[in-house]
Amino acid sequence: MAELDTRPVPVAHPRKQRHEHAWLTESRHPTSEGVLLYVRCASCGIRRVDLQAHPQAPPGALSHEIERT
Ligand SMILES: [Zn+2]
């Protein structure tokens, strides 16, 4: 009997889907440069490190998004 080509159709990994990350601050660490914010997306679990230079300033992304291992 001939085998049909049953390779699974490539499906985008759900965690790779583009979405607006819902960053949650996991921890914050005051440094001389400002406050380091360790944030994690509540939706996909990706992590990022932000630096908030001033209390009133919006944090800027220090790192690229880091995938959870
Ligand atoms: Zn996300």
Side-chain angles (χ1 to χ4, degrees), residues 15 17 19-23 40-46 65:
R15 282 190 184 169
Q17 279 180 353
H19 62 268
E20 197 165 332
H21 295 301
W23 297 116
R40 181 173 58 87
C41 174
S43 298
C44 66
I46 220 168
E65 286 150 14

Side-chain angles (χ1 to χ4, degrees), residues 45-69:
I46 220 168
R47 288 163 195 265
R48 203 178 69 179
V49 181
D50 288 356
L51 178 66
Q52 188 170 26
H54 305 287
Q56 274 80 34
L62 257 196
S63 76
H64 293 295
E65 286 150 14
I66 304 162
E67 290 203 48
R68 179 155 64 180
T69 52

Side-chain angles (χ1 to χ4, degrees), residues 14-35:
R15 282 190 184 169
K16 305 284 189 191
Q17 279 180 353
R18 283 179 157 276
H19 62 268
E20 197 165 332
H21 295 301
W23 297 116
L24 295 176
T25 304
E26 287 200 309
S27 58
R28 48 178 64 221
H29 302 276
T31 71
S32 57
E33 303 287 313
V35 181

